[in-house]
């Protein structure tokens, strides 16, 4: 929550400095934004490589069809949530907001004092392909040395995000809003911010209602009781902004819903990594809004967004546990598949961080549904998890 307050402070600082500060002050902030943006661009492929490779390599082994069904169900929920979000956002955002256009009076174009380029070591798709090749290979061959490299690389990038990049994001956002204020597009952008935040939160609740009502009716359980038992996990995630930090509460909530201990211990930690319906709703909604706001982008059709959403469901495995980790993992797809530039990326980060806690809460609460179905799969003839598999 401190990060959200810092984000708001960055927006206000950028707005005020853009309106009242001398041009050189605005250029200093714009320069900081440019340098931080280069660091973010450099880090994106490394996030994808190490987090996905480590995640695949650490998936539970020998849990048979139950693992496959759990992963498939989580992926389907994530994809359908993304399609739902795009359908709503693409129809409502153009009707509720207006595109931000530069004012005729604005003649100032900010320029950075430092022209620094930090090219990534490799491209986004190369990082994704390498992560899958090595992740699956490590899992299949039990290459402990490579797995240690993957885990240590993940820890290094996680520390870079937590200690450097994410603390710098308020300055990055301030630089973005300085630029928009100078160009005269800031107030239309802020109006869209408010609409998008409310829209995303409402869609979280609607999607959770669909999941729990459908599951309750299919399993002969009370949807209201199922949701009530998961509320402690929802509100814990609101405060922690982390699926991983909420795992203990989510485990107990799932067990309160009647999920057996072995299945809950297997499913809930796994879904904290692979079932990200709330984050996907947020990312798709925010991306649609940013494309509507951007002069050089337009809201695409479903033929473009469906592959993006399907890839998003895969690449979110790389989401770091830090606040804002979901959007950091998605930046590569936003640039490579939707054509986002630096300004669009900055808006995306600002929009996502403003409601990250609600997306995380939706993720965690939705995990309770996956746990219920995994328990039903196990009761329908799947072999029970052994103690060694449960520990994995």
């Amino acid at each position: 929550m401190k990060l959200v307050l810092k984000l708001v402070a960055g927006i206000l600082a950028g707005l005020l400095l853009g309106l009242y500060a001398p041009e050189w002050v605005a250029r200093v902030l714009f320069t900081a934004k440019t340098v931080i943006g280069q660091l973010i661009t450099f880090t994106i492929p490394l996030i994808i490589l190490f987090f996905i490779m480590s995640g695949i390599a650490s998936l539970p082994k020998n849990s048979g069809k139950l693992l496959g069904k759990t992963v498939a169900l989580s992926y389907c929920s994530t994809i359908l949530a993304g399609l739902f979000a795009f359908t709503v956002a693409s129809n409502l955002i153009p009707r509720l907001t207006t595109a931000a256009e530069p004012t005729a009076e604005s003649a100032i174009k900010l320029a950075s004092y430092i022209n620094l380029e930090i090219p990534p070591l490799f491209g986004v798709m190369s990082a994704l392909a390498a992560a899958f090749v090595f992740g699956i290979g490590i899992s299949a061959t039990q290459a402990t040395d490579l797995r240690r490299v993957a885990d240590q690389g993940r820890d290094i990038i996680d520390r870079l995000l937590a200690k450097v990049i994410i603390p710098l994001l308020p300055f990055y956002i301030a630089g973005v809003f300085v630029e928009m204020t100078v160009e005269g597009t800031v107030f239309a952008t802020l109006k869209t911010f408010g609409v998008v935040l409310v829209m995303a939160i409402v869609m979280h609740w609607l999607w959770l209602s669909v999941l729990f009502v459908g599951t309750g009716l299919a399993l002969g359980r009370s949807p209201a009781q199922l949701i009530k038992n998961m509320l402690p996990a929802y509100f814990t995630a609101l405060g922690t902004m982390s699926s991983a930090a909420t795992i203990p509460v989510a485990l107990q909530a799932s067990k309160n819903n009647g999920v057996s201990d072995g299945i809950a211990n297997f499913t809930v930690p796994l879904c904290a990594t692979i079932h990200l319906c709330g984050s996907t709703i947020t990312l798709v909604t925010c991306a649609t809004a940013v494309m509507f706001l951007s002069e050089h982008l337009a809201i695409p059709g479903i033929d473009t967004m469906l592959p993006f959403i399907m890839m998003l469901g895969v690449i979110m495995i790389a989401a770091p546990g830090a606040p804002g980790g979901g959007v950091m993992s998605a930046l590569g797809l936003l640039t490579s598949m939707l054509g986002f530039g630096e300004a669009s990326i900055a808006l995306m980060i600002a929009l996502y961080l403003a409601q990250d806690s609600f997306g995380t809460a939706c993720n965690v609460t939705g995990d309770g549904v996956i746990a219920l179905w995994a328990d039903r799969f196990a009761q329908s003839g799947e072999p029970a998890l052994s103690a060694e598999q449960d520990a994995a």
Side-chain angles (χ1 to χ4, degrees):
M1 291 303 174
K2 290 181 180 179
L3 179 62
V4 174
L5 294 176
K6 291 177 181 178
L7 170 68
V8 173
I11 292 174
L12 292 176
L15 176 62
L16 294 175
L17 291 175
L19 288 173
Y20 303 113
E23 182 182 346
W24 69 267
V25 176
R27 286 188 64 186
V28 167
L29 204 52
F30 181 77
T31 300
K33 185 214 80 166
T34 302
V35 174
I36 297 169
Q38 288 292 316
L39 179 59
I40 291 172
T41 302
F42 173 80
T43 309
I44 289 169
L46 299 177
I47 294 174
I48 293 170
L49 174 63
F50 286 112
F51 276 84
I52 290 185
M53 181 166 62
S54 176
I56 293 176
S58 62
L59 285 176
K61 291 180 62 63
N62 303 321
S63 46
K65 295 180 182 179
L66 182 60
L67 172 61
K69 289 182 178 180
T70 303
V71 172
L73 187 59
S74 299
Y75 184 72
C76 288
S77 172
T78 300
I79 299 308
L80 291 175
L83 291 174
F84 166 64
F86 176 68
T87 301
V88 174
S90 60
N91 284 282
L92 290 186
I93 288 176
R95 299 180 184 181
L96 299 177
T97 62
T98 56
E101 298 180 358
T103 59
E105 296 81 8
S106 177
I108 299 176
K109 295 294 182 182
L110 294 179
S112 173
Y113 285 114
I114 301 174
N115 293 319
L116 178 66
E117 292 188 6
I118 311 176
L121 295 176
F122 34 76
V124 170
M125 298 311 295
S126 296
L128 185 62
F132 272 92
V133 169
F134 282 99
I136 294 172
I138 291 169
S139 179
T141 63
Q142 293 296 292
T144 55
D145 290 339
L146 277 179
R147 179 170 178 175
R148 190 178 300 113
V149 169
D151 292 343
Q152 291 175 346
R154 177 202 62 199
D155 293 341
I156 290 172
I157 299 301
D158 193 36
R159 181 173 288 269
L160 174 65
L161 288 172
K163 300 297 184 181
V164 180
I165 293 179
I166 289 178
L168 288 176
L169 286 182
F171 298 97
Y172 183 62
I173 300 304
V176 172
F177 275 82
V178 159
E179 183 181 14
M180 288 193 298
T181 303
V182 169
E183 292 180 352
T185 62
V186 67
F187 294 108
T189 300
L190 287 174
K191 177 184 176 182
T192 303
F193 266 38
V195 172
V196 171
L197 295 180
V198 172
M199 185 182 301
I201 293 170
V202 170
M203 282 194 284
H204 292 157
W205 294 340
L206 289 175
W207 186 249
L208 288 176
S209 298
V210 169
L211 290 179
F212 278 96
V213 170
T215 298
L217 294 177
L219 301 182
R221 305 283 299 277
S222 167
Q225 187 62 42
L226 294 177
I227 293 175
K228 179 182 176 182
N229 289 337
M230 290 301 300
L231 285 179
Y234 183 90
F235 288 109
T236 301
L238 280 180
T240 62
M241 297 176 69
S242 169
S243 296
T246 313
I247 285 176
V249 181
L251 274 172
Q252 187 57 52
S254 292
K255 293 173 183 179
N256 291 342
N257 271 336
V259 178
S260 63
D261 287 358
I263 298 300
N265 294 340
F266 164 76
T267 306
V268 172
L270 176 64
C271 289
T273 302
I274 65 173
H275 184 231
L276 300 164
C277 55
S279 296
T280 301
I281 288 173
T282 301
L283 286 167
V284 172
T285 304
C286 294
T288 304
V290 170
M291 287 186 286
F292 178 71
L293 287 171
S294 301
E295 183 180 357
H296 304 294
L297 297 173
I299 299 177
I302 190 65
D303 57 330
T304 298
M305 286 302 294
L306 180 58
F308 169 75
I309 293 170
M310 294 180 70
M311 286 297 296
L312 190 62
V314 173
I315 211 167
M316 288 297 285
I317 297 173
V327 71
M328 300 305 295
S329 297
L331 293 184
L333 290 183
L334 292 169
T335 55
S336 62
M337 298 187 72
L338 298 184
F340 276 38
E342 186 176 334
S344 301
I345 288 295
L347 280 178
M348 189 72 191
I349 292 173
L351 269 171
Y352 184 91
L353 285 177
Q355 63 75 67
D356 187 21
S357 58
F358 289 94
T360 302
C362 181
N363 294 339
V364 171
T365 309
D367 293 347
V369 169
I370 306 298
L372 285 165
W373 281 105
D375 196 53
R376 172 55 65 91
F377 296 151
Q379 294 174 9
S380 300
E382 294 291 339
L385 295 175
S386 67
E388 292 79 10
Q389 293 163 349
D390 185 32

